[in-house]
Amino acid sequence: MSVTVRVPAKVNVQLAVGAARADGFHDLANVFLAVGLHDEVTVAAADELRVTCEGPGSDQVPLDRTNLAARAVELLGARYGIAPDVHIHIAKDIPVAGGMAGGSADGAGALVACDALWGTGASRSELLDICAELGSDVPFSLVGGAALGTGRGEKLEPVEVGGAFHWVFAVADGGLSTPAVYREFDRLTPVAPAPEASPALLAALRDGAVEALAAELSNDLQPAALSLFPSLRDTLATGVEAGALASLVSGSGPTTAFLAADAASARRVADALLASGVCRAARVAESPAAGATLL
Ligand code: C5P
């Protein structure tokens, strides 16, 4: 018997970053939006814990116990006294090391899949606790939709979204390390104000107002990501020249995100990005998308 769970990527429509805390993490006001690019995580009983991965960029995915999917299965097994002897297979479609929470999605997916495989019946809040232990973005991968994340990003409140938004994601050649981007943020930002969610941005999401959302997109990690990966400036400019309403770096990057007026415009922006050679791939996707879902 095997169980498969579908998990979405995310874009941060606002990422407000405060000063580094004593534990090394940064306080955030992080407005997550799940987007329709998905990984599928399948688990089945096996002789020992094993991870395999297929799809674009899968050669860069760690297959050892540092993989968040493997750690998720170990944490759930430890709580319920079950040996984590499962084969986890990840069918990857979310850009790897791209700032779209692909690794976090796999963690949330493996957790929900193993909960079903083993019949552990963990409560939603138990699953969310395990997700928070796995990483700052993992709880959101479980819930999907849209949410405001505070603390280091793991404390979630749902955010209302009043319509569909159309996005293009430009996949860069290479990845960026999230800790390195936060270190660069610290270097560039000697005094960071306390992070707060933008009321205008939350209103734009609630109203499904694409122009208003375009005007409010912001990412405090963007200067740091551009400093470490300067060619992203060209990518951002190319998408806007091709008709995107706004552009920003997705999370810690190096994937760049473009908000389009509608699906046809998104397709044109994606074609222009690909034709210009400023990115390795360009993907269109709609938001919001559901969280981790059993197939
Ligand atoms: O929580 P996660 O394991 O995804 O975080 C990866 C790294 O990103 C952390 O080790 C830390 O360097 C940085 N980070 C941070 N503040 C946050 C979230 C992540 O500094 N709120």
Side-chain angles (χ1 to χ4, degrees):
M1 185 182 112
S2 68
V3 175
T4 300
V5 171
R6 194 168 186 252
V7 270
K10 59 85 181 162
V11 63
N12 307 92
V13 287
Q14 182 188 4
L15 185 44
V17 183
R21 316 189 304 201
D23 65 1
F25 286 90
H26 295 70
D27 272 320
L28 305 178
N30 189 350
V31 183
F32 292 104
L33 185 62
V35 299
L37 294 178
H38 297 93
D39 284 357
E40 285 183 10
V41 183
T42 299
V43 298
D47 292 339
E48 57 179 4
L49 181 57
R50 188 161 82 88
V51 182
T52 55
C53 187
E54 66 175 315
S58 55
D59 51 325
Q60 298 155 59
V61 173
L63 301 178
D64 59 14
R65 295 195 173 200
T66 63
N67 189 301
L68 286 180
R71 291 194 42 219
V73 171
E74 287 182 326
L75 285 180
L76 184 69
R79 273 203 189 209
Y80 285 89
I82 300 170
D85 296 331
V86 291
H87 173 201
I88 305 169
H89 183 70
I90 301 168
K92 205 149 244 315
D93 198 36
I94 302 174
V96 177
M100 296 193 75
S104 299
D106 299 341
L111 186 63
V112 171
C114 256
D115 181 53
L117 182 75
W118 292 337
T120 34
S123 68
R124 186 80 163 171
S125 84
E126 252 180 295
L127 292 176
L128 284 170
D129 282 350
I130 296 175
C131 287
E133 202 174 330
L134 289 168
S136 308
D137 289 346
V138 185
F140 179 71
S141 299
L142 184 81
V143 302
L148 168 62
T150 53
R152 61 183 168 88
E154 87 288 13
K155 292 181 198 147
L156 298 179
E157 294 163 51
V159 162
E160 202 186 323
V161 184
F165 295 104
H166 299 272
W167 295 91
V168 181
F169 296 97
V171 182
D173 251 322
L176 271 175
S177 140
T178 303
V181 174
Y182 275 100
R183 276 197 299 278
E184 184 69 355
F185 170 87
D186 290 336
R187 196 181 69 80
L188 296 174
T189 321
V191 184
E196 280 178 50
S198 151
L201 176 112
L202 296 175
L205 286 173
R206 186 192 60 225
D207 298 343
V210 65
E211 304 258 355
L213 180 62
E216 291 297 327
L217 295 177
S218 74
N219 179 359
D220 287 353
L221 291 181
Q222 182 158 317
L226 293 177
S227 166
L228 298 176
F229 208 130
S231 65
L232 295 181
R233 282 182 202 284
D234 287 344
T235 318
L236 291 171
T238 302
V240 171
E241 278 158 28
L245 299 176
S247 63
L248 85 171
V249 170
S250 179
S252 56
T255 303
T256 43
F258 303 85
L259 183 57
D262 52 39
S265 167
R267 195 61 265 162
R268 284 194 296 274
V269 170
D271 290 343
L273 282 164
L274 260 188
S276 72
V278 293
C279 57
R280 183 151 52 83
R283 306 290 308 276
V284 297
E286 263 189 54
S287 67
T293 306
L294 277 168
L295 295 185

